[in-house]
Each structure stands twice: as C-alpha cells, then as structure tokens.
Amino acid sequence: MVTGASSGIGEATARRLAADGWQVVAAARRTDRLDALTAGTPGIRAVPLDVTDPRSVEALATAAASCDLLVANAGGAFDLAPLADADAETWARMYDVNVLGTVRTVQALLPALRGARGQIVLTGSTAGRWVYEGGGGYVAAKHALAALRDTLRLELVESGVRVSEVAPGMVATEEFSLTRFGGDADRASAVYAGVDALTADDVADAIAWIASRPAHVNIDLLQLTPQQQAGPGKVIRRPSDGAEPDG
Ligand code: NDP
C-alpha cells in the first residue's frame, strides 16, 4: 500500500515496488492520475483515498486484507510563512494531512499488517530534525511524524511489525513546491535553482531498499540529502541562480 501515489515520491515508489515484484495498491485523491498509473504499469491497482476523511481511510482496510508493506507517504507543505504571520488554519491542515492522516492510515491497516508481520515506512523529511525560517508549520508536522515513528516502533515491536522513516532533504518533485506556494511556478522552481536535488526515484530507491531488508533488520531512520544540502539553511547553489528556502 502506497499512499500519495498520484504524483512525486509516492508515484515513483509505486512504480519501483511493482517493478521489484510487489503487488501494489496505489492510493490518493486524484483517481484520474491513479488510473494513468495503473494503465501503464502491471502489478498496481488503485484505490481512492483522502487521509483527512476518516471514512475514506477506514475503507482501506477492505482494499487490503493482508498488508506486507505500508508506505505512508501522503503529505505536503502548505506555506512558507514566518511564525508571526502564520495562519493557524494552514498549520492545522498540515498537521491533519501529514500527522493525523498517517495515524488514520496506520490504524486502518494495522490488523492487515499484524497478520502479515509487515512493515511500515513513513515518509518524513529532514524537516523532522532541522528547522528553517518560514518552515514552522511543516517542520512541526514532520517533527511530530518522527515522534510517531519512534512511538510506533516501541508499541509494535512485540507484533513483529517493523517501522521505518525515510527522511529526504530537497526532492525536485513537480508538485511539492507548487502546492506550498499556491501554484506560483516561479517561486516553486526557484527552490531548486542551482541545486542537483534528489529525484523521486532516489527516494523510491531508498524505500525499496528499506523494504527489502531481511525480517530481522529494522531500518529506524534513513535520511538522504542532495550533496549540495548539508544542513538547515546550508544549501550551496551554483552561482547566478536564485534561491528560496527548501522543503
Ligand atoms: P507531491 O505533492 O507530488 O505528492 C503528495 C502526494 O500526497 C500526492 O500524491 C497527493 O495526492 C497526496 N495527498 C495530499 N493530500 C492528500 C490527502 N488528503 N489524502 C490522500 N493523499 C493526499 O509531493 P512529494 O512527492 O514531493 O511529497 C511526498 C511526501 O514526501 C510528502 O509527505 C512530503 O512532505 C514528503 N517530502 C517531500 C520532500 C520534497 O522536497 N519534495 C522532501 C521531504 C519529504 P492527491 O492530491 O491526488 O490526493
């Protein structure tokens, strides 16, 4: 089960896992995009999912009676505003999608995961450990997700279900920054100016590696960054390119 599979990291992960021989269920809200994904790739079927809607998430349980792997990836950033000007509703939406959405998804699939002694991979972020100006709401949500991962790890160890977090730095996906900046393409492309950012396939590769470890190995956290991104606010860009803080 891959959530947020209609674009970016989730879509690349669904494709990669299918290529590796997994039977993949791809979940997201935009079913037209999921249909395009399933049409072109054997081994993937689609289910509609809105992680902010409890009834939609509960229906996931019927889509997968048994689940070897949950990649809880649906999420995103919705602003880049200093805390002093932040809109609490926007922060609440980020918390709902990234944190509560993950909680709902895990709850719905836990019986199927327990039955299969399966594995959970959460898509966190360097924002789960680093902070940056304007990132407060997203950073708070991804810090919460990191806490969720540690908590689940403790709570599920007896069940045999493994729990991991993949935590990328800048990933040049088509939609992440567009969503953050409300569709402003110039601001969105400036995020990646002068940087060879990670690709969705790089992250999918990391997830596929985590998922293919033997049953006695739990990868707690896999953080990956572009070579040019060394830390919060420390992105080395090629000269003459613009700059916008990263996600
Ligand atoms: P995208 O915007 O391309 O992907 C976000 C995915 O989440 C989409 O498939 C979207 O599908 C889905 N989604 C959003 N809201 C909901 C919802 N309510 N219910 C179900 N699905 C939803 O961005 P990325 O691929 O870049 O991001 C994927 C994940 O990786 C996110 O959690 C993001 O925070 C994280 N990340 C991204 C980084 C980056 O730099 N790009 C860096 C580190 C982490 P749909 O709209 O069809 O529902």
Side-chain angles (χ1 to χ4, degrees):
M1 177 73 66
V2 181
T3 71
S6 60
S7 60
I9 293 167
E11 180 183 347
T13 301
R15 286 187 198 283
R16 169 59 189 270
L17 292 173
D20 287 355
W22 294 79
Q23 293 295 311
V24 177
V25 180
R29 292 169 302 179
R30 289 171 296 170
T31 49
D32 55 331
R33 292 190 61 110
L34 294 178
D35 289 343
L37 173 65
T38 55
T41 323
I44 307 185
R45 68 187 166 95
V47 295
L49 172 71
D50 181 345
V51 296
T52 67
D53 175 355
R55 269 184 296 184
S56 170
V57 184
E58 280 163 24
L60 272 190
T62 55
S66 177
C67 183
D68 296 304
L69 174 64
L70 164 64
V71 181
N73 165 80
F78 302 148
D79 73 355
L80 189 70
L83 199 144
D85 305 327
D87 171 35
E89 284 301 316
T90 304
W91 280 47
R93 281 199 298 126
M94 281 190 279
Y95 193 82
D96 196 17
V97 173
N98 291 284
V99 185
L100 299 181
T102 301
V103 172
R104 294 183 191 106
T105 305
V106 168
Q107 286 176 338
L109 287 173
L110 209 42
L113 284 158
R114 282 185 196 276
R117 292 175 75 85
Q119 189 171 6
I120 299 168
V121 180
L122 308 180
T123 306
S125 169
T126 47
R129 273 146 293 276
W130 300 349
V131 303
Y132 53 92
E133 289 163 81
Y138 180 64
V139 159
K142 290 300 190 187
H143 271 66
L145 195 73
L148 207 73
R149 185 255 305 169
D150 283 343
T151 308
L152 274 175
R153 177 86 177 97
L154 290 169
E155 292 178 354
L156 294 180
V157 64
E158 281 94 354
S159 71
V161 174
R162 289 177 285 162
V163 183
S164 306
E165 177 188 351
V166 64
M170 298 169 75
V171 189
T173 54
E174 276 177 37
E175 298 188 5
F176 178 86
S177 292
L178 265 185
T179 302
R180 165 168 259 173
F181 297 125
D184 184 332
D186 290 340
R187 275 191 92 186
S189 63
V191 170
Y192 309 106
V195 179
D196 295 324
L198 299 174
T199 65
D201 284 338
D202 292 328
V203 184
D205 190 40
I207 293 170
W209 181 79
I210 292 171
S212 60
R213 294 311 86 208
H216 69 284
V217 178
N218 192 94
I219 304 300
D220 296 344
L221 171 64
L222 195 165
Q223 178 167 306
L224 64 163
T225 50
Q227 189 280 329
Q228 289 164 272
Q229 182 186 26
K234 185 75 175 177
V235 177
I236 306 305
R237 295 176 191 273
R238 284 185 293 279
S240 83
D241 287 318
E244 207 34 287
D246 64 277

